Amino acid sequence: SRLQFKRDYAGYLDTLYHHFYIQAPGDTLPKQLTFGPYDDLEPAWSPDGKQIAFVSNRTDNPDGNRNTDLWILNINGSGLRQLTTNPGIDTSPSWSPDGSSIVYETGTQPEIFWYATQHLAVIPAAGGNPRLMKNSPDRNIVNPFFALDGRSVYGNIENSGERHLVQWDLKKERLNYLSSGGFSLRNPHMGRNGQIAALISNPTLPAEVFSFDKGDWTQITYTNQKLLDSIKMARVENVTFPSKDGTEVEGFFFFPPDYESGKKLPTILRIHGGPIAQYDFSYRFEAQLLATQGYLVVLTNPRGSSGYGQEFSLGIYQDWGNKDYEDVVAGIDHAIQKGYADPDRLGVGGWSYGGILTNYVITKTDRFKAAISGASLVLYAANYGHDHYQYAWEVELGLPWKNRALWEKLSPFNQVEKIVTPTLIMGGEKDWNVPIMNSEQLYQSLKRLGITTQLVVYPGEHHGIRRPSFIKDRFERYVLWYDQFLKD
């Protein structure tokens, strides 16, 4: 009976919702604290343990918008009160040490959905007007929390292929970077003594725990060191290059460990999902794996990516497969111009939006000799009411019976006769994010057209493949497919 009647990993939805319960030592049963046809999420205890801040969409039609607000629950049973009224997303609440304020993430432009930049805001816990960061950078800042003295707020910023820890001085309205350089920092947390720990990764280091003290970051776990010492890894080069219209695009080249300068390599363009995401300076197992098989691996952050500002993300709004296609192909052209890539041995592939953009690539050019389309879309109107994106589709493309021309214009299915590239098609049997139906449609079409293709469906799997043997199988199939068409 719900508008949002299914969701990936959950399956078909019923009228049960997420609520909070409390159970103290000695209690036989937990006591329910919140009720109603709403999902209550992200609970955060006040410092005195008497209140919980949480996130909930309690509008009249929660399935028809993304208007989450912050709410305060009093544990003594005196009820709820709404803290924020922003029509967009408010999320990730965190209390000040004295309990007087709450910092959170906010999105102030719901009309552009996930293309909008997320900002930090502080609001009095007793209620009042929120305070947004003045002169806020046009970048997503997440995971906010207060300093011990309550005078500043920490956050995790995404910027130009990097992720770093920043500190927002509330009095001076100044943003300070507490880390810099070619790495990716995630999940920062502060201990009771004010010390900060975070996960830090770089292209040759899977994420490890680092601590921050007196301006320096110190590695304190070495989980994978023994393994890393025993293997050779790709050499990674951070690059920028112009797209067709002159827009600067950033990316990464992964070279085989034994690469000889001047040698032209079979090259694979791997496209990230999202599309509102970015390749950054973190460890990329997939790219490392393919590079060690003798490939130059090209990763790019085309328009639509995060990390470069809202306008850059909006570059593909209602226009998928156009500017982002030009941007990813420009990465391949740059590799060829530098003398790294063999133009006659090019491959392409990706998962989720990476698979979707792969479908655009192979309908627009015959340059690629092998493609892998993972968990992708081809005939968009067929997805309305079948996947879990009913609201997202309506916001960006409009209702399919009212704006059908745009739906059809963007669907790669309508250009499928132009495909000549041998294409491996993959997905999860129970994926409601990007349903396997799309992969089946693409496979059926290519098979009918006589194009070399295979369809691989992982039983019981959703959008992300989780069973270890299936993960291994998927990577093995990547290597075998590319080897078949890109090597002698």
Side-chain angles (χ1 to χ4, degrees):
S1 61
R2 294 179 55 178
L3 177 63
Q4 183 75 46
F5 67 94
K6 64 164 70 168
R7 194 170 294 282
D8 197 24
Y9 295 99
Y12 289 99
L13 303 178
D14 48 32
T15 54
L16 300 180
Y17 295 86
H18 293 87
H19 289 297
F20 300 136
Y21 295 73
I22 187 170
Q23 185 168 12
D27 288 351
T28 303
L29 295 172
K31 176 184 177 182
Q32 187 170 348
L33 299 176
T34 60
F35 304 85
Y38 318 105
D39 285 316
D40 300 326
L41 307 168
E42 301 185 58
W45 284 98
S46 63
D48 62 9
K50 295 180 180 180
Q51 301 178 94
I52 295 175
F54 66 95
V55 174
S56 187
N57 183 339
R58 291 179 169 246
T59 62
D60 292 337
N61 183 23
D63 290 342
N65 62 73
R66 297 183 78 211
N67 182 12
T68 57
D69 285 302
L70 302 190
W71 294 74
I72 300 290
L73 169 67
N74 292 312
I75 301 303
N76 62 11
S78 59
L80 296 175
R81 55 187 175 87
Q82 185 174 350
L83 196 60
T84 64
T85 58
N86 168 43
I89 295 176
D90 296 326
T91 187
S92 303
S94 182
W95 294 78
S96 62
D98 63 3
S100 66
S101 300
I102 293 175
V103 63
Y104 62 101
E105 300 170 30
T106 185
T108 58
Q109 294 180 269
E111 69 277 6
I112 55 174
F113 203 55
W114 44 41
Y115 296 98
T117 298
Q118 293 290 108
H119 300 284
L120 296 189
V122 172
I123 191 169
N129 294 323
R131 172 186 176 188
L132 271 67
M133 183 192 302
K134 289 184 179 179
N135 304 315
S136 178
D138 184 19
R139 298 291 186 271
N140 292 320
I141 305 178
V142 298
N143 304 126
F145 56 91
F146 275 93
L148 288 185
D149 60 10
R151 297 176 181 175
S152 62
V153 167
Y154 296 94
N156 194 191
I157 194 169
E158 184 182 41
N159 182 31
S160 186
E162 300 175 358
R163 292 179 68 100
H164 291 293
L165 184 68
V166 291
Q167 185 178 27
W168 173 21
D169 187 313
L170 296 175
K171 183 177 180 180
K172 297 180 180 179
E173 292 289 356
R174 186 172 62 197
L175 192 69
N176 301 312
Y177 275 74
L178 300 182
S179 63
S180 62
F183 61 81
S184 177
L185 181 150
R186 296 174 184 267
N187 302 107
H189 286 79
M190 177 177 285
R192 294 180 180 178
N193 63 353
Q195 189 173 26
I196 295 174
L199 294 176
I200 290 181
S201 174
N202 66 41
T204 58
L205 178 71
E208 297 283 3
V209 180
F210 283 67
S211 65
F212 180 71
D213 187 35
K214 298 178 181 178
D216 294 320
W217 289 93
T218 303
Q219 185 174 346
I220 60 175
T221 65
Y222 295 84
T223 312
N224 296 290
Q225 196 60 52
K226 183 177 179 180
L227 174 63
L228 296 176
D229 289 342
S230 69
I231 61 176
K232 294 180 179 180
M233 285 189 285
R235 176 177 67 83
V236 183
E237 181 179 329
N238 179 222
V239 296
T240 58
F241 47 87
S243 187
K244 181 178 179 179
D245 64 1
T247 299
E248 183 178 86
V249 179
E250 185 172 25
F252 299 87
F253 290 170
F254 284 67
F255 293 86
D258 57 355
Y259 174 67
E260 299 174 4
S261 180
K263 182 179 180 181
K264 293 184 178 181
L265 298 168
T267 299
I268 299 172
L269 169 66
R270 293 295 296 180
I271 306 171
H272 68 63
I276 314 303
Q278 67 165 358
Y279 282 126
D280 60 19
F281 279 90
S282 59
Y283 185 82
R284 299 285 171 182
F285 173 78
E286 179 184 293
Q288 287 282 351
L289 172 66
L290 293 172
T292 58
Q293 303 303 308
Y295 293 102
L296 171 67
V297 182
V298 175
L299 308 183
T300 63
N301 286 331
R303 269 165 284 193
S305 300
S306 54
Y308 302 89
Q310 185 168 292
E311 288 304 311
F312 193 87
S313 294
L314 277 169
I316 64 167
Y317 182 74
Q318 297 184 335
D319 193 25
W320 299 1
N322 184 15
K323 297 299 182 183
D324 48 356
Y325 162 76
E326 294 175 356
D327 294 350
V328 297
V329 169
I332 287 290
D333 291 338
H334 184 66
I336 293 171
Q337 292 165 7
K338 297 284 286 186
Y340 303 147
D342 183 342
D344 296 321
R345 293 189 292 169
L346 302 178
V348 63
W351 197 266
S352 192
Y353 192 82
I356 296 170
L357 187 48
T358 293
N359 296 342
Y360 285 116
V361 169
I362 59 178
T363 60
K364 289 174 177 285
T365 180
D366 61 0
R367 295 175 64 186
F368 293 89
K369 301 302 185 285
I372 300 177
S373 178
S376 73
L377 298 175
V378 284
L379 185 56
Y380 294 169
N383 288 275
Y384 186 77
H386 183 61
D387 65 20
H388 70 193
Y389 285 117
Q390 52 87 16
Y391 178 69
W393 285 117
E394 292 177 28
V395 170
E396 185 160 357
L397 302 190
L399 293 167
W401 58 89
K402 288 187 175 182
N403 205 24
R404 189 58 171 266
L406 180 58
W407 286 71
E408 296 300 336
K409 175 185 175 183
L410 296 183
S411 294
F413 183 86
N414 295 320
Q415 306 296 325
V416 72
E417 287 185 298
K418 297 179 180 179
I419 297 176
V420 297
T421 306
T423 304
L424 173 62
I425 303 165
M426 315 177 86
E429 177 194 24
K430 295 185 177 180
D431 185 350
W432 292 129
N433 185 320
V434 184
I436 193 64
M437 175 183 70
N438 295 266
S439 296
E440 293 170 343
Q441 291 168 332
L442 180 60
Y443 170 76
Q444 188 77 76
S445 303
L446 296 188
K447 198 71 175 175
R448 179 64 180 79
L449 291 167
I451 304 302
T452 301
T453 185
Q454 285 184 8
L455 173 66
V456 179
V457 182
Y458 291 102
E461 292 288 349
H462 298 269
H463 193 55
I465 306 303
R466 292 181 171 180
R467 182 171 169 175
S469 61
F470 290 167
I471 295 172
K472 180 173 181 286
D473 179 87
R474 181 171 62 160
F475 285 131
E476 288 174 342
R477 289 179 188 272
Y478 283 2
V479 173
L480 289 171
W481 190 260
Y482 286 131
D483 282 356
Q484 180 180 352
F485 299 101
L486 303 182
K487 290 187 176 179
D488 295 334

